[in-house]
Every structure is written in structure tokens, then in C-alpha cells.
Amino acid sequence: MIAGLRFIGLRVLRGLLTIWFAVTVTFFLLRLLPGDPVLAVADPTMTEALRQKLLADFGLDQPLSVQYVGYLGQLLQGNMGVSFRQSLPVTEVLMQRLPWTLILTGAAILVTVVLGVPLGVYAATRAKGFADRAIQIGGITAQSLFVPSVGILLLYVFGVVFGWFPIGGAVDPDATGFAATLSMLHHLVLPCLSLVFIQLGSYVLAMRSSLIEVLGEDYVALAKAKGVSPRAVVWKHALRNALLPTTTLVGLQLGTLVGGAVLTETIYAYPGIGRAVYESVGQLDFPVLQGAFVLLAVAVVVANLITDIVYGLLDPRVRTS
Amino acid sequence: MRRSLSAALAAGALAALTLSACVPSTPEAGGGGDAERLTIATTTDVVNFNPLVGNSRTDSWVTNLMYPHLTQIDAEGQRIPYLATEWGYNEDGTEATVTIRDDMTWTDGEPVTADDVVFTINAVAEEQFGVVAGLITALESAEAVSDTEVRFNLSRPDGTFLDSVGFWMPIVPEHVFSQAESVQEFANDSDWVSAGPYVLTEADRGQRYVMERVENFPLAPEGTPAVDEVVFQIYPDVNTEVLALRNGEVDVIGNVLPPSTAVSLQDAEGIELAQVPSLGWAHLQYNMEREPLDDVRVRRALAHSVDYEAIREVALQGFAESTGGSTLTPTLTEWYDDSIQEYPYDPAEARRLLEEAGVTDLSLDMIYDQADANISRWAPLVRDSAAEAGITINLQGLERNTYISHADERDFDIYAGSWAVMDNPPANFALAFGTDGFINYANVSDPELDALIQEANEALTVEEALEPTQEAARIIHDQVYDNVLYVETFNIAYSSDWTGFQPVPSELLGIVHPLSLSQVRPAG
């Protein structure tokens, strides 16, 4: 019990350190960017006095160290500051966007797992056969694709050529009730598939190799010897143990997924955090960018933390190591 | 166990199917040319709903439909009445007076009065923010003489004051905006109260902005706009906007089309192109604080080394007009001076001038915004034609914010860019060519030019300002303080289901402005 708490405590501490590191790197990286947020909002008629005033309004006239300490203090109180461009609290800006990103990434994880696990099992049970080879080649190829290429390809084929899916947006705002849900799913298909595409390979390959390994274990041989049907051996005896590495993969892949979401949302004009990041980069809106990165860092850290803890619960060896 | 696992897999597969299946489409927004809704495609969100702060394209389009300006411009770029019916100066130019309409109301029923105008300009003057602050440096005080008359007291004669304020300053409702502690920080992101032809009723960030027509908009021919609703819908980029227009999802593409896209749409069925000239110009500026660019012979050599025709015909596909190399462009007909002639493309003459100046092996860096599709297309042409004259130009396509910061620090040899809106030559000249002008990128410092610009700024009518302004333009051309390449002709696409748009210069206004959208109606 105490070992368990210690394990969780250490993981949480490590998570907090990671977040602090991400916050710090983001803060200084943004300020290293060439360009000046004041000029990004400027227009030709801006006077020098006006410019100084804007700098002061943005808090950018202070030394970096003062800005940094101030920002950390703000963050600790849960205050992410006010957007340079929108005059709105960053929390409000991001909360309008967050649900869409959660829907997109959540659906992508769900579909990936639902498709990836059976495909991996299928390949593992036919190891070295034609289907296995095809799945492996497909998996490695999909893994190596660049999200925007997949996104644009899907958009072109299914949105433009066939016209089956909308070419942008998240929902038809005129639809209500059940029609709105359908419209949301309809808009979700292409961005979601783009993300599934780049992730699926890792899941299939991980599932395949871990299942092959488990299928070679003695207890599996014993089950077979006992006359358990091959199907039951795989699905009932082997799969549970083989699923462990796949669980970890969800946490590990979340970083990739979040990165992919930024690009996917941009391509499909999907109104999530990713699109907000893309827009804010052009506007040098530091508070929104910082807020978005903090949020994404927290999401990845928390997901990893949960995976670690769940894994620790599933496999006691991890806790003591 | 086996059964439950199968059931779980089946459920999962069903979920996947639901996601990937082709769900029946719900009624799409826009299209069709009915009087119920006009859908305009845009690529950016409204960044800030406060019209005095926001400056993205979509910000301007949306807030322009809500907050009246004192004046608007016609197809020739001349000021015509909007909220103001009459305007002028007293004899010595220290007082500017404006008479406003008495029949406009805010959407909550309050009348639009002179107090709103005074409140707006005072808020900008006190808090010093936005585009307008830099335009009203001559303002001492503003007062409402009556409900329909405003007097601006000026510290010096400034003939650009009314033109600039009329064009750039949206009037906001005092009874709403005065509730905020700071007008600058007022986000104005809900419960909108406005007085233009449409009022914002719904904002879904990242998706769309819905605006409903107002019942009382006296400038519309029928007293109210013909279309019930105007919707701004967000698309990822111009290409998807074009697809949406072709599919009938949208009626207008707000953003101007890149020249190549415009060519491909010229004969498209069901699509019309409105053409409007830019209010600005594309140009090259030579940094005069760097040798040998401080020598006018070198600048003239550079001017002779540009193949202007190729830039306009090839890079811009003909959607560009020559200004004769003048900073007074044909867009503003009342200021234009056709006696100024473009430097002919003449590499031999360029070589001769360089020799005369004693310059050999001239090698210069040229900065530009790599995201600007037009400039990225003509920058190599500038390099290649200069090479014919023995001049080496190193292209430096920069990320936009880096580019702006280089320009601001005057850190370049050649600056390639374009001004978007230059609506008032005397005021613009002061900023772009006056010693210490904020956008005087070439570091021009010429006492004779400064004096002419000042004279033009103090003149109270266009007639009086014309001579010094044209003389200033002649000096700018002669000394190559600016090398003007062209004025772009913008193409704006819309569905032929609609008619009645009123095109005016600039991509800022185009066909998406109050006068235009209060007159547009279904065709046929």
C-alpha cells in the first residue's frame, strides 16, 4: 500500500516537473521568436508613443525575468492572462475550443483502438502469412505518413471528388437535436480518419508483436494442450496479457496525437485548440499560445500519469522497479 | 466471456462504422440566392469584436456592418456621406465640423447622436489605441454642438483630419461602451448594440458569425436591407472557399482571389467576378542609409533594372495596373497625375548609371514576406531582370513577423512589399516619406519634400492640396524614394444568383461593406 502511494506520488511529482519544464521552455521560446507582438497588431499610422503604450499594456516592457516570475505566479493562481488580440481571458478563449479537440482526439483514440486491436490479433494469429505481411507493410507505411498529406488527400478525394463529406468546420450550425449530432459526426469523419491513419500502424504492430510473444508462453501451450479452442486461447487467455503494451501506447502516442491534431484542425478548419494555436502564431498572441501549450502539456502528462498508474495496478512488477 | 468479448467488438465496430459511414447530409448553409441568407466565406475568425481595436479582415467586415462611419468611399475613392451628411473646416483650419443624420438608431432603440461621435473620439484620444489614435494627433477637443452637430477643435490646421476620421473611425454607442471601465479593453463579445445595416446575433468561434438585418437602416434603398441574414463562414483557405462557392455552400468569397485562381474562375458557370482596384501599391524601397543606395544614380539604375511589364503580365497575370511609377495612383482619380512616367526597363542605361556612380559588383539583399503569394512570384523576376544589368539581388523570403520586424528596424537593402490602404495621399506621404515617418522604410529625409508634404497636410480642400501633393509625388519618383511597381486589381468571386453589389476600391471593403450589402438582392 505504502509502496503504491509512493509510486503514485513520485509519478505526480515527475508530471509536475515536466509541466514546469514545458511552461518555461514555451515562455522563453516565444520570446525568442523573431518579430514583435506590437508590430503584429500595428498599422502604418501607429505613433511611437502608441507603440510604447501597447508594449506596456502587454507587459512586454518589463525585463524577461520579471515577466517570467509574474507569469508563473499567475499560472499558480489558475490565471492564464488575457489575450493580446481578443481582449478576453485566455481561459475563456481556450475553453471555447477545448471540447472540439477532445471530441476529435477522443474519437481518434477510440477508432484506432477498436480497429487496431483486432487487426493486430488477426495478423499475429496468421504470423508470416500473406495477410500478416500485408498488414505489417500497411502499418509501417501508414506510420511513416505525414498528417497534412493524409489530411489533404482525404479532403480532396472524399470532400471534393466524391463530395461525401464537408470540406471544413465541425458542425452545421443550423442543425438542431439529432440532426446536429449527425452533422457533428459527419464533419468528424475526415479529420478523425486522418489522425487514425497515422496512428493505427503503431497499435497494430504493437498488438501483433506482443500477442506473438504471449502466444509462445508456456501457459498458452498448456491451454492448447487442455483442448481449449484456438479462438478461445487467443481471445480469452492470451489477449489480456498482450494488451498491456497497447495500454501504454495510448499514453505514449498522445503527444503525437496532439501534434497531429494541430495540423489536422488547421487543414479542416476544425475549431479546436490546434486551430487556435495556428492562428495565434501568426498574430504572436503570446498569452493564448502559452495557455494552449500549458493545456496540451498538462493533457499529455496526465494521460501518461494515468497510463503509468493503470499499468502499475495491472502489473505489480512496475511498482517496485 | 467469449460472447461478451464478441459483443464488445461488435459494438466497437458499429461505433467505427457510425463514424466512417456517410451520414445523410443536413441542410447546408447558404447558396441559392434566396433573400433569406447571404453566406460569405472568410479564412479568419473575428479576433476582436471591439471595432476600435480589431484589425483582422474579418473583424473589419463584421464590425463595418455594425458600426457606422462618418463617411464612406465611392468607386473613385472619394468620400461620400454615411452617418455624416456635411463636413468642413473653418477658415483657418482650426475647427472641423460635421453634421450627422438624425434618423439613425442603435438596435436597442436609442438614437445615434453627436454625443456618440464625441464619446468615441474622446475614448480613443484619452486611451490612445487602435488605428484612429495616430490619425487624430491634431485633435484638441471634441464637442457636441447639438444632437446632430459635432465640432472638433484642432491644435493646427489639418486638412486630412476629416478624411481620415471619416474613413477609419467607427462610431460606437456611448450608452453601451461607457459602461466598460476601459473602452480599449472592452471585448464587446455578446449582446451587441449597433447601428449599421446588420447586427451580430451569434458567434461560433472557428465556425461562423450570424448577422441579422436591422429594420431601420435609412441608407438602404427600401429603408432596410433586402437580405434577412448575412453569415460569415470560416474556411481553411482560399482553395476550399472556391470549392464551397462552386458547391453552392457560400455566395461570396470575402477574400480576394490569387490571380491564378481568378483566371481559372473567369469562365466558370454561375460565378461572377467583381474587380476592384487596390487603394495601395506594390513597391520596392531602397534603404538610403546604406551605401551606395544613398546615391540617386544607383537608385535610378535599380529602377531601370526592373521589368515592370513582366511583373504585371506574368506574375500578376494582368491583374495589375501601372501607376506610371507614381505614388499617386489611378485609383484615387482626383489625385492622379498622368504626367509621371515609369522608368523604362533598360539594363544598358542601368549599367551606364552605375558606371557613372563608380559602383561595380553591386550585390543587395531583398527582403519580402514569403507568405505573400504575389510577391513570392515576382521577387525572382526582380532578381533576374537586375542580373541583366549586372546587379546581384539576393532574395530573402522571410516569415511574416520577421519580415515586419526587419522593415521596422530598417534592416534590409531592398524592401519588397505592398501597402494595403493608402486612402489619403497627404497623410500617407507624411507617414511614408516624411522625415521620422513611421513607415518611412527608405529613410527619406528631404527638407523640400517635408515642406511640400506639410503644405499639403495643411490645405483644407483637395484643390488646395493637389499642387503640393503632386509636386511631392514628382520628387518621390525623380529621387526614387519609392519604386512603385503596380496597383493590383482584386478579383472577388460571388454567385451569379445575386446582384446589386457595390464594388469599391481596396480588399478591405471590396463588395463586403455596408453600402453594398444593404443593396444586394437575389438576381432575377
Side-chain angles (χ1 to χ4, degrees):
Chain A
M1 184 64 192
I2 289 174
L5 283 181
R6 197 179 125 81
F7 165 77
I8 293 176
L10 278 174
R11 288 292 189 274
V12 170
L13 193 69
R14 203 173 67 181
L16 287 176
L17 271 176
T18 313
I19 292 172
W20 168 78
F21 186 72
V23 167
T24 307
V25 168
T26 312
F27 182 91
F28 288 104
L29 263 187
L30 285 178
R31 279 152 183 82
L32 279 177
L33 277 180
D36 172 347
V38 170
L39 287 173
V41 292
D43 71 86
T45 60
M46 189 162 77
T47 57
E48 185 55 32
L50 203 57
R51 185 164 165 187
Q52 293 308 325
K53 187 179 165 284
L54 261 183
L55 268 179
D57 287 347
F58 291 169
L60 295 172
D61 55 340
Q62 314 256 19
L64 262 190
S65 53
V66 176
Q67 289 183 43
Y68 175 65
V69 172
Y71 181 63
L72 281 189
Q74 250 185 15
L75 260 192
L76 285 176
Q77 297 166 31
N79 176 3
M80 293 191 179
V82 175
S83 157
F84 287 168
R85 301 293 300 273
Q86 304 185 25
S87 313
L88 290 172
V90 170
T91 327
E92 197 177 312
V93 173
L94 295 179
M95 284 307 140
Q96 289 173 344
R97 304 296 193 117
L98 186 63
W100 293 114
T101 299
L102 289 180
I103 290 175
L104 178 59
T105 48
I109 292 179
L110 184 76
V111 175
T112 310
V113 171
V114 164
L115 293 179
V117 170
L119 272 176
V121 171
Y122 187 80
T125 51
R126 283 157 189 78
K128 306 233 162 86
F130 174 75
D132 177 39
R133 293 257 157 83
I135 288 176
Q136 278 195 66
I137 292 172
I140 291 169
T141 313
Q143 227 179 343
S144 341
L145 288 175
F146 185 46
V147 197
S149 333
V150 178
I152 290 168
L153 187 74
L154 292 180
L155 180 75
Y156 182 71
V157 175
F158 297 105
V160 180
V161 178
F162 293 119
W164 292 348
F165 297 101
I167 45 184
V171 65
D172 173 8
D174 290 326
T176 49
F178 184 60
T181 314
L182 282 185
S183 164
M184 200 192 78
L185 290 172
H186 194 196
H187 283 77
L188 188 61
V189 176
L190 293 184
C192 176
L193 281 186
S194 310
L195 286 177
V196 169
F197 221 95
I198 53 151
Q199 289 209 98
L200 192 60
S202 325
Y203 282 80
V204 173
L205 297 179
M207 192 62 232
R208 175 186 172 277
S209 62
S210 79
L211 188 59
I212 287 179
E213 199 176 308
V214 172
L215 285 176
E217 299 271 344
D218 291 345
Y219 76 92
V220 174
L222 179 68
K224 280 185 192 159
K226 271 164 56 185
V228 179
S229 76
R231 212 184 150 110
V233 167
V234 171
W235 291 100
K236 197 172 155 189
H237 294 265
L239 186 63
R240 280 192 164 185
N241 281 326
L243 268 176
L244 278 177
T246 316
T247 318
T248 335
L249 203 59
V250 175
L252 287 177
Q253 282 280 357
L254 202 78
T256 322
L257 187 66
V258 162
V262 173
L263 298 167
T264 312
E265 286 177 1
T266 306
I267 292 165
Y268 291 96
Y270 206 77
I273 302 267
R275 175 96 181 157
V277 166
Y278 169 76
E279 286 163 0
S280 303
V281 169
Q283 302 164 346
L284 293 182
D285 197 335
F286 292 173
V288 172
L289 287 172
Q290 281 163 188
F293 289 131
V294 168
L295 199 68
L296 297 179
V298 169
V300 173
V301 165
V302 168
N304 274 303
L305 191 66
I306 293 173
T307 324
D308 271 2
I309 293 171
V310 169
Y311 201 96
L313 294 176
L314 292 178
D315 187 346
R317 283 170 299 179
V318 176
R319 264 178 279 168
T320 48
S321 64
Chain B
M1 176 62 200
R2 182 174 153 184
R3 185 171 293 167
S4 64
L5 193 57
S6 307
L9 281 173
L14 191 70
L17 271 178
T18 318
L19 279 176
S20 56
C22 173
V23 185
S25 68
T26 44
E28 280 299 335
D34 54 50
E36 285 171 5
R37 177 184 287 180
L38 179 83
T39 306
I40 302 171
T42 176
T43 52
T44 50
D45 263 291
V46 172
V47 180
N48 198 311
F49 294 99
N50 186 332
L52 295 164
V53 178
N55 59 6
S56 90
R57 281 283 176 272
T58 313
D59 290 18
S60 305
W61 289 331
V62 169
T63 58
N64 273 349
L65 292 177
M66 295 168 69
Y67 302 95
H69 290 228
L70 289 172
T71 57
Q72 50 194 351
I73 58 170
D74 65 11
E76 262 75 52
Q78 293 194 34
R79 266 58 175 177
I80 54 172
Y82 185 178
L83 178 60
T85 52
E86 282 173 51
W87 53 92
Y89 298 91
N90 70 346
E91 247 173 52
D92 65 1
T94 52
E95 273 178 30
T97 43
V98 171
T99 308
I100 64 167
R101 305 179 69 104
D102 59 2
D103 55 356
M104 283 182 71
T105 49
W106 299 106
T107 46
D108 61 358
E110 295 281 322
V112 180
T113 68
D115 287 328
D116 293 311
V117 180
V118 171
F119 169 79
T120 307
I121 203 163
N122 280 342
V124 173
E126 277 160 28
E127 296 184 35
Q128 285 290 314
F129 64 97
V131 188
V132 182
L135 303 170
I136 56 170
T137 49
L139 180 76
E140 238 172 33
S141 64
E143 55 191 312
V145 182
S146 72
D147 272 357
T148 55
E149 209 175 12
V150 186
R151 185 162 61 221
F152 304 103
N153 299 307
L154 307 179
S155 58
R156 58 169 196 271
D158 180 1
T160 69
F161 182 86
L162 285 174
D163 265 11
S164 298
V165 169
F167 183 79
W168 288 105
M169 189 175 78
I171 307 302
V172 299
E174 178 180 13
H175 63 285
V176 177
F177 279 60
S178 64
Q179 305 295 317
E181 247 175 65
S182 146
V183 172
Q184 182 190 1
E185 285 163 24
F186 181 45
N188 189 35
D189 61 339
S190 60
D191 305 320
W192 295 277
V193 174
S194 64
Y198 295 89
V199 59
L200 195 61
T201 52
E202 200 186 314
D204 298 311
R205 269 195 207 272
Q207 301 188 67
R208 67 169 196 174
Y209 298 86
V210 180
M211 307 185 76
E212 275 173 26
R213 74 165 169 207
V214 300
E215 289 313 313
N216 170 34
F217 185 67
L219 280 87
E222 315 271 318
T224 182
V227 188
D228 288 347
E229 217 174 56
V230 168
V231 175
F232 287 87
Q233 185 102 26
I234 317 275
Y235 285 87
D237 54 36
V238 165
N239 297 324
T240 35
E241 288 180 327
V242 170
L243 293 172
L245 180 67
R246 282 181 183 272
N247 295 350
E249 271 178 52
V250 303
D251 304 302
V252 176
I253 298 177
N255 312 79
V256 302
L257 302 175
S260 52
T261 312
V263 169
S264 73
L265 286 182
Q266 261 171 340
D267 300 315
E269 204 181 322
I271 294 176
E272 302 285 331
L273 295 180
Q275 296 194 325
V276 299
S278 170
L279 271 176
W281 60 83
H283 59 155
L284 301 172
Q285 287 200 283
Y286 308 112
N287 190 343
M288 291 171 40
E289 280 197 350
R290 293 195 179 172
E291 284 181 355
L293 296 170
D294 54 342
D295 185 333
V296 68
R297 290 170 299 188
V298 175
R299 297 198 298 276
R300 281 184 191 143
L302 283 162
H304 278 297
S305 77
V306 178
D307 189 347
Y308 303 92
E309 235 5 73
I311 290 176
R312 291 189 290 260
E313 293 308 317
V314 179
L316 272 289
Q317 311 217 346
F319 294 119
E321 194 180 352
S322 167
T323 73
S326 170
T327 42
L328 292 174
T329 72
T331 310
L332 299 174
T333 45
E334 57 187 342
W335 299 95
Y336 182 52
D337 176 4
D338 61 9
S339 69
I340 296 179
Q341 295 295 315
E342 198 164 73
Y343 288 93
Y345 172 46
D346 186 347
E349 175 66 7
R351 281 176 194 273
R352 193 194 64 76
L353 281 163
L354 287 179
E355 202 175 317
E356 191 184 310
V359 173
T360 49
D361 298 330
L362 185 57
S363 172
L364 301 164
D365 292 338
M366 180 167 103
I367 62 161
Y368 61 96
D369 174 6
Q370 61 176 7
D372 186 315
N374 285 346
I375 300 185
S376 299
R377 288 186 68 162
W378 56 250
L381 299 183
V382 171
R383 176 194 58 200
D384 297 346
S385 62
E388 297 286 315
I391 301 167
T392 309
I393 291 183
N394 310 305
L395 299 187
Q396 295 189 339
L398 304 173
E399 181 274 328
R400 181 168 174 75
N401 287 309
T402 314
Y403 161 76
I404 295 175
S405 118
H406 273 264
D408 183 61
E409 287 156 17
R410 317 296 193 248
D411 181 13
F412 57 84
D413 296 329
I414 305 177
Y415 163 94
S418 60
W419 299 133
V421 180
M422 295 298 234
D423 58 301
N424 181 294
N428 304 142
F429 281 8
L431 291 166
F433 308 110
T435 309
D436 301 328
F438 186 72
I439 48 168
N440 179 356
Y441 292 160
N443 292 308
V444 179
S445 183
D446 180 332
E448 190 190 353
L449 184 63
D450 283 342
L452 285 165
I453 292 173
Q454 191 182 343
E455 189 187 338
N457 273 272
E458 285 173 2
L460 301 179
T461 61
V462 173
E463 293 73 43
E464 282 173 48
L466 194 59
E467 203 186 303
T469 306
Q470 291 190 337
E471 185 54 33
R474 223 164 283 139
I475 293 177
I476 293 166
H477 179 257
D478 193 47
Q479 296 292 317
V480 203
Y481 291 148
D482 196 3
N483 189 9
V484 182
L485 307 176
Y486 61 84
V487 169
E488 185 173 354
T489 305
F490 295 126
N491 285 282
I492 303 168
Y494 63 93
S495 154
S496 53
D497 292 338
W498 295 89
T499 184
F501 290 108
Q502 307 288 316
V504 298
S506 86
E507 56 179 321
L508 186 69
L509 302 169
I511 61 172
V512 182
H513 59 93
L515 189 68
S516 181
L517 295 193
S518 64
Q519 299 193 29
V520 66
R521 58 189 186 281

